[in-house]
Amino acid sequence: MTTYYSEELIQSVIEANDIVDLASGYMTLKRVGNSFKGKCPFHNEKTASFTVSREKQLYHCFGCGAGGNAITFIMEMEKLPFIDALKFLAARVNMNLPEKANPEEDHLAYEKKKRLYELHREAANYYYKVLKTNRSAREYLQQRGISQETIREFGLGFASEDWSRITDFLQTKGFSMVEMLDSGLVLASESKRHYDRFRSRVMFPIVNPRGQIVGFGGRLMETEQNGPKYLNSPETPIFSKSYELYNLNHCKNFLEEGQILIVEGYMDVISLFEKGIKNTVAALGTAFTPFHGKILERYANEVVIAFDGDSAGKSATEKAMNILKKTSLNVKILNLPINEDPDSFVQKHGQQGFKEFIAKALTIVEYELELLKRNNDLSQTDGRLRYGNEAIRVLRQLETSVEIDYYSKMVAGDTGINQEVIRREVLRLKTRSDNSSPLVALTRSEVSPQKIPRAYKKAQELAIRYCLKTPVIIDEFPMNHLTDPFYKDLLLTLSEKRKTGTLIEVNQIMSHFEDSEAVKKIVEFMMNEDEVSRSDYQDALEIMNRFYNEAQLDRLSEQIKRESSNGNDDAVARLTNQFIEIKKMMKENGRH
């Protein structure tokens, strides 16, 4: 792990990247005592068990066991090898790492991304400055109710109608034509002439949760202008519509209630933000994906789908709803009127009116029942019966009897069918569905009986934790009492570090262990908030000593039996003396 860079350099990169700030770029963290907590980004959970310590510069999930430092976090989140994660963190804090030859490692992709981030930042600054000088664009945003403060907050800009303004500007900043084409901001015609993708559009920088500009959205100001109303950056090495959510970089800081609103457009987000509703993201068009669902799980407990009220918005709502059903999120749907979108609605009704409307958002089942009502004439008997049968199939997805009772009563009220009949049919179909589904047998691998008593394991863990806190005692530690080779390696590493006279840093120790499970265990020890006193340590040593001696007695007993059956009297006598000495020592220790 330290083939290319020294421990000191690795440590300096870790120290320069605060783990709380780093993790906050990917998830919502709340201070709890001396630590920060959030929902684990590495597994689905409803109760936050992911803990980040600023003091120790470590993270640990008490649910799935994930843990480590800034480097392991980036390795997991960005799916990067160690060296590239180190470079990622160094670039994040503007540190220069010395380049070292490595024939097996190709860093071109990393460097390419770095240049694209720089290019997009320069482009955003340029568009922002152009907006300041373009009267019609400023008046357009003013008419839409967007203040100068919000323009600055979102970095809004303007692309002029000229064909090569951004191309010419980026060239003056030293970017090559290849880099400009890779960014998607510049296009090439069949005759190899280069021109700007975005022209005569209000520009919306798309910023990832780490604050890096990865793309742009451009909006026409007039309906009679040629081209689509909205135009997004294409897929690039740093941008994918399937992964990015517009405004997540701001939204993650306004999630006190654990709720996120999902809207369709940039202007919806900005208008709501202007009105003080800041927990909003947009799915860059209506292309909501399973990846978006996974991202939202990191930050929120509940999402409200607030797509446009037109037919396209309704269709997109159903698609997003079906994706979000498969997450751990509580999902609700805002059923906007047919000619409304969040932008127009909040302009008419203000912050309070919009919040009151959010409070009336429908659950998934309520929304699905509403869709069924639209397709069935409840004023007619056959319409009510058809709706009742279709509704029963919807209610079959419910898990608890409380939910089944609640919605059965709702359907009964709409159809006149007896509530108990509906409930019974739901349960009958549910049972049939469960019985007809292929059963998945969860088998346990054959596990040999655990020979190490739990108390012995706990005592070893407690003793190791005290050693991590007080390395000076390691030299006198009874290494032969440890049953796990990892514990021995850990203490020997600590001992070697101590002999060099250098300050022992847990992050440096972690770099000695390639095994991710070993790293997790070290983090688990370090993140344990329970205090271990000298007295606790002494008690742990006594427990370890007792179990160790008992194990020795068991071993000697087996050897005595074996040698006795072989008729080896000398060996029996020698082993018996050892057995007696250990028993005598244990008895004497027991008196103390």
Side-chain angles (χ1 to χ4, degrees):
M1 191 175 285
T2 57
T3 305
Y4 307 108
Y5 299 106
S6 68
E7 287 186 4
E8 291 73 21
L9 184 59
I10 293 171
Q11 184 63 23
S12 65
V13 172
I14 292 171
E15 289 174 354
N17 285 272
D18 179 71
I19 188 68
V20 175
D21 293 340
L22 185 66
S24 295
Y26 295 83
M27 57 191 294
T28 300
L29 292 175
K30 293 184 179 180
R31 180 182 284 277
V32 179
N34 294 326
S35 300
F36 294 79
K37 285 194 173 182
K39 293 172 70 177
C40 181
F42 305 120
H43 82 290
N44 292 336
E45 61 177 3
K46 293 186 178 180
T47 304
S49 60
F50 189 84
T51 302
V52 185
S53 170
R54 176 163 277 151
E55 177 190 0
K56 297 169 183 174
Q57 287 298 303
L58 297 171
Y59 67 90
H60 178 64
C61 176
F62 290 91
C64 70
N69 57 16
I71 295 178
T72 56
F73 185 83
I74 290 300
M75 288 173 69
E76 290 294 325
M77 294 303 301
E78 297 289 342
K79 306 303 179 191
L80 294 173
F82 178 84
I83 294 297
D84 285 345
L86 187 68
K87 287 191 170 186
F88 180 102
L89 291 171
R92 181 176 180 269
V93 292
N94 298 316
M95 284 181 65
N96 292 318
L97 292 180
E99 286 299 326
K100 300 199 177 185
N102 177 13
E104 298 177 0
E105 198 94 28
D106 183 4
H107 299 303
L108 288 177
Y110 172 84
E111 295 299 333
K112 183 177 181 179
K113 286 185 178 182
K114 182 180 176 182
R115 287 286 289 174
L116 284 176
Y117 288 131
E118 293 172 1
L119 184 151
H120 279 78
R121 187 184 71 249
E122 292 287 357
N125 289 335
Y126 174 78
Y127 290 135
Y128 180 74
K129 290 176 182 177
V130 172
L131 176 64
K132 287 184 175 181
T133 63
N134 190 286
R135 182 177 176 181
S136 61
R138 293 199 315 274
E139 288 178 350
Y140 168 79
L141 291 173
Q142 189 175 7
Q143 290 167 5
R144 297 294 299 263
I146 309 303
S147 67
Q148 185 58 45
E149 183 181 352
T150 299
I151 290 172
R152 186 168 54 251
E153 185 75 28
F154 283 84
L156 303 186
F158 185 71
S160 66
E161 62 184 354
D162 301 289
W163 284 80
S164 62
R165 282 293 183 91
I166 197 67
T167 305
D168 296 340
F169 170 77
L170 291 173
Q171 280 182 325
T172 67
K173 291 295 180 179
F175 293 100
S176 69
M177 188 55 66
V178 171
E179 289 173 326
M180 286 186 266
L181 291 170
D182 285 343
S183 75
L185 299 183
V186 176
L187 300 173
S189 68
E190 291 182 3
S191 60
K192 305 300 181 183
R193 294 187 63 184
H194 299 104
Y195 60 97
D196 298 351
R197 173 184 291 273
F198 297 101
R199 302 184 306 280
S200 194
R201 291 176 181 271
V202 174
M203 298 298 289
F204 302 84
I206 300 167
V207 185
N208 67 21
R210 300 179 298 284
Q212 297 164 312
I213 299 172
V214 295
F216 291 93
R219 190 194 193 283
L220 294 175
M221 294 186 294
E222 304 295 338
T223 54
E224 62 269 16
Q225 287 179 275
N226 292 326
K229 182 167 75 170
Y230 280 102
L231 182 66
N232 289 322
S233 287
E235 300 281 311
T236 72
I238 63 171
F239 175 65
S240 172
K241 285 196 296 183
S242 298
Y243 289 87
E244 301 296 340
L245 288 164
Y246 182 68
N247 193 48
L248 185 56
N249 59 310
H250 287 131
C251 174
K252 64 187 178 67
N253 300 317
F254 300 98
L255 298 178
E256 291 83 2
E257 304 300 322
Q259 182 193 73
I260 289 180
L261 273 67
I262 313 169
V263 298
E264 285 187 41
Y266 304 109
M267 286 304 301
D268 292 324
V269 167
I270 291 173
S271 292
L272 290 169
F273 191 93
E274 183 74 42
K275 297 293 184 182
I277 300 170
K278 301 182 178 182
N279 58 324
T280 307
V281 298
L284 300 179
T286 55
F288 193 85
T289 71
F291 297 109
H292 290 140
K294 288 184 178 297
I295 290 168
L296 290 172
E297 279 186 305
R298 299 177 192 166
Y299 296 90
N301 300 315
E302 179 176 276
V303 293
V304 179
I305 303 172
F307 289 169
D308 297 355
D310 58 16
S311 58
K314 299 297 183 188
S315 175
T317 295
E318 288 187 51
K319 290 177 183 176
M321 178 183 72
N322 289 328
I323 288 170
L324 290 167
K325 272 182 185 179
K326 299 172 184 177
T327 69
S328 62
L329 294 161
N330 184 39
V331 183
K332 291 188 174 180
I333 296 97
L334 205 60
N335 203 3
L336 284 165
I338 192 167
N339 294 319
E340 297 277 16
D341 58 31
D343 176 19
S344 63
F345 194 93
V346 79
Q347 297 295 344
K348 290 178 184 177
H349 303 281
Q351 181 197 75
Q352 190 57 36
F354 195 85
K355 285 188 172 181
E356 289 173 0
F357 197 54
I358 292 173
K360 298 175 184 176
L362 304 176
T363 64
I364 286 179
V365 174
E366 287 172 331
Y367 185 77
E368 289 180 326
L369 293 177
E370 284 295 317
L371 292 178
L372 293 179
K373 286 181 188 178
R374 290 181 202 166
N375 298 326
N376 293 285
D377 185 358
L378 298 190
S379 67
Q380 302 294 320
T381 300
D382 59 344
R384 290 194 297 273
L385 289 173
R386 188 164 52 249
Y387 166 72
N389 283 318
E390 291 173 351
I392 286 169
R393 284 194 286 273
V394 169
L395 302 193
R396 189 179 64 185
Q397 68 187 286
L398 298 172
E399 295 183 1
T400 68
S401 58
V402 173
E403 290 175 304
I404 292 172
D405 280 352
Y406 178 83
Y407 289 109
S408 294
K409 184 177 181 181
M410 185 180 293
V411 174
D414 291 330
T415 60
I417 302 171
N418 184 280
Q419 177 187 350
E420 188 55 36
V421 171
I422 294 171
R423 181 179 178 279
R424 189 165 59 245
E425 279 299 295
V426 171
L427 292 173
R428 185 179 67 82
L429 285 177
K430 190 175 178 66
T431 302
R432 184 197 299 173
S433 174
D434 291 342
N435 289 339
S436 62
S437 299
L439 296 176
V440 180
L442 299 176
T443 60
R444 293 174 180 264
S445 58
E446 292 298 324
V447 181
S448 58
Q450 182 56 265
K451 295 181 180 179
I452 303 169
R454 187 177 179 185
Y456 193 4
K457 292 175 108 177
K458 289 292 182 185
Q460 291 179 74
E461 290 178 1
L462 190 145
I464 294 288
R465 283 171 50 208
Y466 188 77
C467 288
L468 286 169
K469 188 180 86 169
T470 318
V472 69
I473 59 131
I474 293 171
D475 292 341
E476 60 189 51
F477 192 90
M479 296 285 186
N480 59 343
H481 285 26
L482 296 173
T483 58
D484 191 330
F486 160 64
Y487 292 162
K488 294 179 182 178
D489 290 345
L490 176 57
L491 290 189
L492 287 171
T493 301
L494 285 168
S495 179
E496 289 171 8
K497 279 280 179 192
R498 213 177 74 78
K499 288 174 183 175
T500 64
T502 58
L503 181 66
I504 294 176
E505 293 284 353
V506 67
N507 283 307
Q508 288 184 3
I509 297 163
M510 286 165 56
S511 69
H512 283 264
F513 294 89
E514 299 282 350
D515 182 25
S516 61
E517 293 303 315
V519 171
K520 287 179 183 178
K521 197 65 181 175
I522 296 172
V523 173
E524 185 181 333
F525 287 150
M526 296 300 296
M527 292 292 282
N528 195 315
E529 298 292 338
D530 295 336
E531 185 65 27
V532 182
S533 66
R534 177 77 183 189
S535 175
D536 295 330
Y537 172 67
Q538 294 293 346
D539 290 343
L541 288 183
E542 288 184 14
I543 293 171
M544 289 168 59
N545 191 53
R546 185 177 78 248
F547 279 114
Y548 174 76
N549 286 329
E550 287 176 355
Q552 290 292 88
L553 292 177
D554 290 340
R555 180 181 60 82
L556 288 169
S557 293
E558 290 297 321
Q559 286 181 321
I560 290 169
K561 289 179 184 177
R562 188 166 57 251
E563 297 297 341
S564 179
S565 63
N566 292 334
N568 193 340
D569 295 337
D570 290 340
V572 169
R574 176 173 51 81
L575 293 170
T576 301
N577 286 333
Q578 291 178 23
F579 187 94
I580 293 169
E581 285 298 318
I582 291 174
K583 290 284 284 184
K584 182 179 178 182
M585 180 182 63
M586 291 177 68
K587 188 174 182 180
E588 290 176 352
N589 289 337
R591 293 197 194 104
H592 294 84

